[in-house]
Amino acid sequence: MNIASKDLNLLKLFQVLYEERSVSGAAERINLSQPALSHKLAKLRDEFDDTLFARAPRGLTPTPRAHQLAPLVQQLVRSLESFYDYCDEESFLLRADRIHVYTTDYIEQLLLPKLLPVLREHAPNTQLVFHNTRGKLPRSELETGACDIAIAGFFEGLPDTFYQQKIHQEQFSVLASRTNTRIGETLTLEAFLECDHLVTTLTGDLDGVVDRQLESLGHQRKVVAGVSSFLSPASVIEGTDLIITCLGSVATYACYQQSGLRSYRPPIDLPKVEILQTWHQRTHEDPLRAWLRQQIKQLLRPTRESAFATLEQ
């Protein structure tokens, strides 16, 4: 086979069709009309002498031959894109792109005010879209391209095709109202168990690391409600005897916003929480996404340090 007779742009088309599984979705992503894309798809099928993508009730479904080719094509496209970005180092910051980040409401609020100004200055044509992780690793979204970066503290058991980077580490704190009648200057285990508890749960499960640690000590707490947000409990707790065990920086932020709240050290030993950003190998070499991951790491680090400094005062 002579490479001079081949249209390498068809490899990019293959990659996008494989990820989108939709003619309309692929056409929108690479800015082609559907008739133009259908014409190129016909050439792609002739190139490989296979249907590659068959019509299905919902879009397209890859043939066995397409599944076989996909890893090789994705590797080739990534290498070609990296090569041309290397030849023009700054151009990747100016390209039009949309990056999807899966995380929690707290990380979103912590990160966006600092990240958006950096993005608007250095990568003005890049759009960010944030999604809630809903308490689990968005594995299929990372694999297909619906998610570029996932940020949370509960991603475990990653396959070899994923990368992970620790952004920062946090201690737990207990957030309570200053008017809580069951707590004095320090939070004892007895007072902790007497209080009713809120928990943040993204999956609906009300048992967590606190409950497992209490169980090992022969104790049990009373959980009265589970909420899906890291930020909303502060407004629920103030003026009540409810408490919540949360990230130290979440407690610090809540106390800064609401003077009627106070944070305490937990009366039991709890492990630190590592906040990680996770991505798939399909985006590992993409210069824009690598640049964004570096910005996220740098922007969250000083926030973490200032949060700990405030807690220690």
Side-chain angles (χ1 to χ4, degrees), residues 27-60:
E28 180 180 357
R29 183 167 159 186
I30 59 180
N31 197 26
L32 279 177
S33 67
Q34 289 195 34
L37 187 140
S38 297
H39 176 71
K40 287 183 174 292
L41 176 55
K43 292 179 62 179
L44 181 65
R45 286 166 169 163
D46 288 340
E47 187 83 25
F48 291 99
D49 194 25
D50 190 270
T51 302
L52 295 176
F53 302 98
R55 294 195 178 277
R58 295 183 179 179
L60 300 173

Side-chain angles (χ1 to χ4, degrees), residues 128 237 267 290:
L128 283 182
I237 286 172

Side-chain angles (χ1 to χ4, degrees), residues 98-100 142 145-150 278-280 282-283 289:
R98 182 176 296 172
I99 297 179
H100 294 263
L142 284 162
C147 173
D148 296 286
I149 305 170
T278 304
W279 63 96
H280 190 261
R282 64 180 297 278
T283 60
R289 285 155 179 79

Side-chain angles (χ1 to χ4, degrees), residues 7 27 30 58 61 67 74 85 94 206 230 239 276 288:
D7 182 357
I30 59 180
R58 295 183 179 179
T61 182
H67 283 305
Q74 289 170 336
D85 286 329
L94 300 178
L206 298 182
F230 286 89
L276 307 163
L288 178 59

Side-chain angles (χ1 to χ4, degrees), residues 98-115:
R98 182 176 296 172
I99 297 179
H100 294 263
V101 179
Y102 278 58
T103 187
T104 63
D105 62 341
Y106 177 65
I107 295 296
E108 182 176 316
Q109 178 169 298
L110 193 67
L111 182 60
L112 267 177
K114 297 180 178 181
L115 182 60

